[in-house]
Amino acid sequence: MAKEYFSDLNYTLSNEDTRIEYDLLPNAVERVFSIAGSGARCLPLMAKNPKYLDVIDMSVSQLYLCELRLQAMKTLTYEEYLFFMGYRGALQAGSDKGDDREALYKKLTLSEDAKKYWNERVSGWKPRGFILLGRWESHFQKLGYLFREVLQCDFSKVFAAQSLEEQIELYEKHWPKIRWNSFIKVAASEYVFNKFLYKGHFSGKSEHRTEQRAPSQFIMEEFDRIFRTQLVRKNYFMQILFLGRIAYEEGLPLEAHFETVEAVKKSSTQVRYLHGNLLEELPKHAYDFISLSDTISYLSELDANQILQKLSPETRSQSQMVIRSFMRAPTAIDTKNWEPLSDRNLWAQSKDGTGVYQFHIFRKK
């Protein structure tokens, strides 16, 4: 796998829609395996109360973020959690002079390594929280700034719509199509993705990708689909990209929903943080549910196609694996003893708020 790409704090929110895995995961299974990422996708799964949740990442920084996120969910009130993470800029009942994230941070019980990591970075997270600190989030905010300030694109009217019918009408009337399309051809080009966002490890390079459309064309078409099929004020990813922030709380991701936070507080799930390679850890236990994010895009073709066969032979019937892919999908997954859930793939793609992933969902026979 591409260790250079996964060696720093890449994600602090999530560029994946957690609702997919959450809806697929049954209640009270024995053991779940998930790529850590920022924690915003995997930790809400605790609301389904699996006995064990194993989260893995090749970046220890991402694991420290998962640990911080979980402890904040468990320790702080819902309102404090939203403020601490950066979803809100103040506490409603707080000081008129502003509120103190560092004071809330001191309430958390963290491992010594995680505490040292975040203590050394307090100047970075104290002013505005954590959710927009990652390289991905920073990149999307810069794109949004260019859209709004340089190209003078005003997206606010479209996001103000309160029905899909109204949104489509405003989208067709006010969307700056010529400026948007011209800019995205450059900003979402293979060169820009590979050099600035993926640091040389973009899986959608022409010699690797399985998606026929160029990245810019793919994004233009899929975003157009989203604006015509989903109310985007309910979509945090689109809000951050086009508005620069989550302006409408009905678009908060699942980890920031009151019901999710309260369920995680009550959950008895035991969490293990694994720093290493998923191919080495997957066979060690029989998992009932496996969420691999889009990491399969960074595996060799052989490892990607054999991913189901690398699981423990004790894996139980009805266990599920959820895989995302961006621009590069597995070409011939060995499905011996597994069944692909094609209807679930279509459902996930239509529900997904990012619009950029293909889904590959499998169930053990």
Side-chain angles (χ1 to χ4, degrees):
M1 296 181 72
K3 291 186 179 181
E4 296 88 348
Y5 174 60
F6 290 101
S7 62
D8 202 358
L9 197 60
N10 291 301
Y11 314 104
T12 49
L13 184 50
S14 181
N15 60 335
E16 299 174 9
D17 192 336
T18 317
R19 296 175 302 167
I20 306 303
E21 281 86 350
Y22 185 84
D23 287 352
L24 289 170
L25 176 63
N27 285 314
V29 301
E30 179 75 10
R31 193 178 289 270
V32 173
F33 181 97
S34 178
I35 302 300
S38 69
R41 178 178 46 79
C42 63
L43 294 178
L45 300 181
M46 293 177 61
K48 293 291 189 79
N49 206 32
K51 187 172 182 179
Y52 302 103
L53 171 62
D54 290 353
V55 295
I56 188 169
D57 213 285
M58 294 184 73
S59 167
V60 70
S61 304
Q62 300 292 163
L63 295 174
Y64 293 151
L65 180 59
C66 283
E67 184 179 344
L68 176 98
R69 227 180 193 101
L70 177 54
Q71 289 306 309
M73 279 185 173
K74 290 280 194 181
T75 305
L76 306 178
T77 67
Y78 174 67
E79 290 77 12
E80 288 173 338
Y81 175 72
L82 292 186
F83 166 68
F84 180 70
M85 294 305 300
Y87 287 112
R88 290 180 180 169
L91 293 168
Q92 189 171 16
S95 169
D96 290 341
K97 296 181 180 180
D99 300 295
D100 187 357
R101 285 188 177 86
E102 191 172 7
L104 296 177
Y105 168 75
K106 290 177 180 177
K107 296 181 179 181
L108 309 185
T109 302
L110 300 173
S111 66
E112 288 303 314
D113 287 341
K115 188 183 299 184
K116 180 176 184 293
Y117 180 87
W118 293 114
N119 284 349
E120 291 172 351
R121 291 160 176 78
V122 65
S123 61
W125 55 259
K126 185 176 180 179
R128 298 189 181 279
F130 299 85
I131 62 173
L132 298 179
L133 293 180
R135 190 164 72 204
W136 267 82
E137 290 77 13
S138 176
H139 181 78
F140 287 131
Q141 282 202 300
K142 288 173 184 175
L143 286 179
Y145 174 83
L146 292 172
F147 296 155
R148 296 185 303 276
E149 306 300 329
V150 178
L151 299 179
Q152 294 295 298
C153 295
D154 181 10
F155 305 111
S156 60
K157 290 184 177 67
V158 177
F159 279 85
Q162 296 188 20
S163 72
L164 185 59
E165 182 181 11
E166 180 189 8
Q167 177 178 290
I168 293 172
E169 181 180 345
L170 292 170
Y171 175 64
E172 292 178 343
K173 182 177 181 179
H174 295 291
W175 195 261
K177 291 183 178 67
I178 295 175
R179 279 175 287 170
W180 159 253
N181 290 349
S182 299
F183 180 74
I184 208 67
K185 285 178 181 177
V186 176
S189 67
E190 179 182 320
Y191 173 80
V192 171
F193 267 51
N194 190 52
K195 183 173 179 63
F196 297 105
L197 192 54
Y198 287 90
K199 303 300 181 183
H201 299 283
F202 179 40
S203 61
K205 288 188 285 188
S206 55
E207 63 267 30
H208 297 306
R209 72 171 182 253
T210 56
E211 168 61 49
Q212 296 302 308
R213 292 169 289 180
S216 58
Q217 187 66 28
F218 175 79
I219 286 173
M220 282 189 285
E221 292 179 7
E222 291 303 314
F223 278 20
D224 180 71
R225 177 182 62 81
I226 284 179
F227 277 100
R228 295 179 185 280
T229 59
Q230 298 181 19
L231 193 63
V232 291
R233 66 184 292 137
K234 292 186 174 185
N235 187 317
Y236 73 91
F237 181 77
M238 292 295 174
Q239 287 193 54
I240 289 173
L241 180 58
F242 292 108
L243 302 180
R245 67 193 194 284
I246 300 178
Y248 301 101
E249 286 203 356
E250 54 265 48
L252 287 173
L254 192 60
E255 72 144 356
H257 291 190
F258 175 78
E259 294 81 5
T260 304
V261 175
E262 291 304 301
V264 170
K265 285 181 185 296
K266 297 173 183 175
S267 174
S268 59
T269 301
Q270 298 179 43
V271 180
R272 289 201 311 160
Y273 302 105
L274 306 175
H275 182 213
N277 190 318
L278 68 92
L279 296 177
E280 296 173 359
E281 295 294 336
L282 266 178
K284 293 181 179 179
H285 296 281
Y287 290 102
D288 301 284
F289 191 86
I290 301 145
S291 171
L292 292 188
S293 180
D294 69 336
T295 53
I296 200 164
S297 301
Y298 303 93
L299 299 179
S300 70
E301 186 173 1
L302 176 62
D303 284 335
N305 287 331
Q306 288 296 311
I307 192 68
L308 292 170
Q309 306 309 319
K310 292 181 181 293
L311 301 179
S312 165
E314 304 301 318
T315 301
R316 290 174 281 274
S317 175
Q318 303 302 304
S319 295
Q320 296 178 81
M321 178 182 284
V322 182
I323 299 170
R324 286 171 168 81
S325 64
F326 174 53
M327 303 302 294
R328 179 182 178 232
T331 54
I333 289 185
D334 183 349
T335 59
K336 181 182 178 182
N337 298 321
W338 290 77
E339 57 179 329
L341 303 181
S342 301
D343 59 331
R344 296 283 82 188
N345 294 341
L346 294 173
W347 161 81
Q349 189 163 359
S350 67
K351 186 180 181 73
D352 177 45
T354 70
V356 299
Y357 293 108
Q358 283 182 270
F359 287 84
H360 316 273
I361 303 171
F362 302 91
R363 181 170 59 206
K364 183 75 179 292
K365 292 179 180 178

